[in-house]
Amino acid sequence: MNRLFANLPTTIFEVMSSLAREKQAVNLGQGFPDDPGPEDVRRKAADAVLNGYNQYPSMMGLPELRGAIAEHYGRFHGVKIDAATETMVTSGATEAIAGAILATVEPGDEVVLFQPTYDAYLPLVERAGGVARFVTLRPPRWTFTEADLDAVFNERTRAVIFNNPLNPSGIVYERAQVELLARYCARFNAIAICDEVWEHVIFDGRPHVSMLSIPSMRERTIKIGSAGKIFSLTGWKVGLVVAAPDIMRVIAKSHQFLTFTTPPNLQVAVAYGLGKDEDYFARMKAGFQRSRDRFCEGLVACGFPVIASDGTYFVNVDIGAIGETDDVAFCRRLVEEHGVAAIPVSAFYAENHVRTVVRFCFAKNDATLDAGLERLRGAIRR
Ligand code: GLN
């Protein structure tokens, strides 16, 4: 068997969700909302299943969805996007990430990753023959400096994978950080694979600065979005890709033999949803922000040192400050003895691990959050 996959552990999300089921724990691990998602969008999909076309849609995506992607990101990022040559629909953002890596990386090429890295990136880079170079981010602000980038970028750098807002940290990078990374991409002729799936899940009025909106990056950015995150429908697996024509032409070739296409009924519904006005996005943000605040207050009341979350469905706690040294052991104890599933953030490090951060998902209804908090009350050893 292929050694890379044979030796890979099962993804931490699946491990913790299975444990949560087994222990009947409150699952604040894997990130998915309790909210069923906007009813009008779900009705569009249902109607398309019953009355629409259910055969293979076009490989690059339904024209109406490709048009909606160009319009949506044109509107939010202030760029002009040609639907016919610069957009593509994939079966989830993870497929888009795999396709982007396969399309850009050749054996021996270096790829810059920021750790904590979303857990799919490294195995996909290595499977493509790429060599990962890590920038290590540390709590509580998870920022990177020029010196960090100097240490990893060189003439062998083919690509960088940049997740902004960053899961699992919940940080939203500001323009200065995005521009700093852009300068290195331009200097070393590297492509930026930008996982921006959390672009709309941002709080406290912070803006999302897409790499696509940085003029020098327009021709070297592969922007990846996710209908699942935009509409709180994580099981839908509809990914949205934007890249300049020369790049898109090659990603299309890797996409054609990964999944080829994506369910047409979901595409119809996402095309409709992307046209929603500011109000939908504002209400969605406000709802999650309210849940974040409620949960964080509860965590603080339990004695957990909370690390600020500016976006995503997640908030982290610093268990080092309560005398813990092993996040994996801590999470195991949480689920087994207290009935709450969380995610140990060391799972997202490949080297120089940070082992004192634990991630909770707050994208839940009040009853779930309160049940989780109730169980967390006894979890800190004194
Ligand atoms: N994105 C989700 C999270 O971070 C997990 C997705 C998955 O389970 N593959 O929790």
Side-chain angles (χ1 to χ4, degrees):
M1 300 303 285
N2 176 281
R3 266 172 297 168
L4 193 144
F5 289 112
N7 294 331
L8 214 55
T10 299
T11 159
I12 188 71
F13 304 117
E14 184 67 25
V15 169
M16 291 312 297
S17 280
S18 311
L19 265 175
R21 278 188 292 272
E22 188 188 313
K23 306 285 175 196
Q24 294 180 340
V26 178
N27 190 356
L28 304 180
Q30 194 177 34
F32 57 91
D34 274 348
D35 188 281
E39 182 165 336
D40 54 345
V41 175
R42 288 183 290 129
R43 277 197 192 284
K44 281 274 174 204
D47 179 60
V49 169
L50 289 175
N51 305 309
Y53 184 74
N54 285 287
Q55 309 308 330
Y56 298 126
S58 126
M59 173 183 124
M60 298 299 281
L62 289 187
E64 59 194 287
L65 178 51
R66 300 180 74 197
I69 295 171
E71 183 282 324
H72 185 84
Y73 288 134
R75 173 158 56 114
F76 281 94
H77 301 338
V79 286
K80 236 179 100 22
I81 298 166
D82 177 41
T85 57
E86 298 191 302
T87 68
M88 181 172 80
V89 179
T90 56
S91 292
T94 303
E95 192 225 301
I97 290 161
I101 291 169
L102 290 173
T104 48
V105 177
E106 294 195 324
D109 286 346
E110 293 189 5
V111 179
V112 171
L113 301 178
F114 294 82
Q115 36 169 35
T117 53
Y118 186 63
D119 71 343
Y121 303 164
L122 178 60
L124 291 170
V125 165
E126 291 185 334
R127 191 61 197 96
V131 179
R133 299 293 305 270
F134 292 102
V135 173
T136 299
L137 307 169
R138 295 182 186 283
R141 289 318 294 164
W142 315 92
T143 50
F144 54 90
T145 62
E146 214 166 310
D148 292 327
L149 300 184
D150 276 335
V152 290
F153 272 85
N154 61 64
E155 57 294 338
R156 290 182 302 280
T157 306
R158 174 59 50 104
V160 53
I161 306 183
F162 186 51
N163 178 210
N164 180 30
L166 177 66
N167 176 14
S169 82
I171 190 93
V172 176
Y173 288 108
E174 290 170 3
R175 178 169 297 277
Q177 291 266 283
V178 180
E179 285 179 345
L180 174 62
L181 182 58
R183 281 203 294 283
Y184 279 77
C185 290
R187 187 185 317 160
F188 292 98
N189 194 23
I191 287 179
I193 300 173
C194 294
D195 174 350
E196 300 184 349
V197 301
W198 302 101
E199 58 196 332
H200 284 299
V201 191
I202 298 188
F203 313 125
D204 309 313
R206 282 195 169 70
H208 166 65
V209 180
S210 174
M211 192 64 93
L212 206 59
S213 70
I214 308 291
S216 61
M217 294 301 290
R218 185 66 180 84
E219 301 301 313
R220 56 172 78 254
T221 295
I222 301 171
K223 185 223 158 82
I224 298 169
S226 158
K229 304 300 192 290
I230 295 175
F231 301 112
S232 313
L233 297 163
T234 61
W236 274 25
K237 306 294 292 179
V238 179
L240 319 170
V241 188
V242 178
D246 286 346
I247 295 180
M248 187 56 90
R249 215 171 291 135
V250 186
I251 307 182
K253 301 289 170 57
S254 63
H255 162 69
Q256 72 180 343
F257 297 133
L258 282 173
T259 62
F260 176 59
T261 190
T262 299
N265 22 71
L266 299 181
Q267 293 196 51
V268 169
V270 171
Y272 159 79
L274 287 179
K276 280 180 175 291
D277 57 19
E278 252 317 306
D279 196 47
Y280 163 78
F281 297 95
R283 270 186 290 119
M284 185 261 280
K285 281 182 210 197
F288 286 127
Q289 182 171 322
R290 203 192 126 268
S291 300
R292 176 201 63 175
D293 292 345
R294 183 186 185 94
F295 187 61
C296 287
E297 262 173 43
L299 283 174
V300 170
C302 293
F304 280 101
V306 171
I307 303 168
S309 160
D310 304 334
T312 76
Y313 296 157
F314 312 112
V315 63
N316 292 283
V317 295
D318 171 13
I319 59 166
I322 50 169
E324 301 284 343
T325 53
D326 181 347
D327 59 342
V328 174
F330 185 80
C331 286
R332 196 159 266 285
R333 188 157 65 74
L334 266 195
V335 71
E336 286 177 352
E337 293 172 24
H338 301 276
V340 177
I343 300 286
V345 168
S346 64
F348 305 98
Y349 285 79
E351 56 189 38
N352 304 317
H353 291 68
V354 169
R355 298 193 192 275
T356 50
V357 178
V358 167
R359 190 194 86 171
F360 292 99
C361 174
F362 56 74
K364 304 292 177 189
N365 58 37
D366 290 352
T368 308
L369 293 178
D370 293 349
L373 288 167
E374 186 59 43
R375 293 171 180 210
L376 286 172
R377 255 181 264 287
I380 296 180
R381 284 191 284 225
R382 314 220 181 230

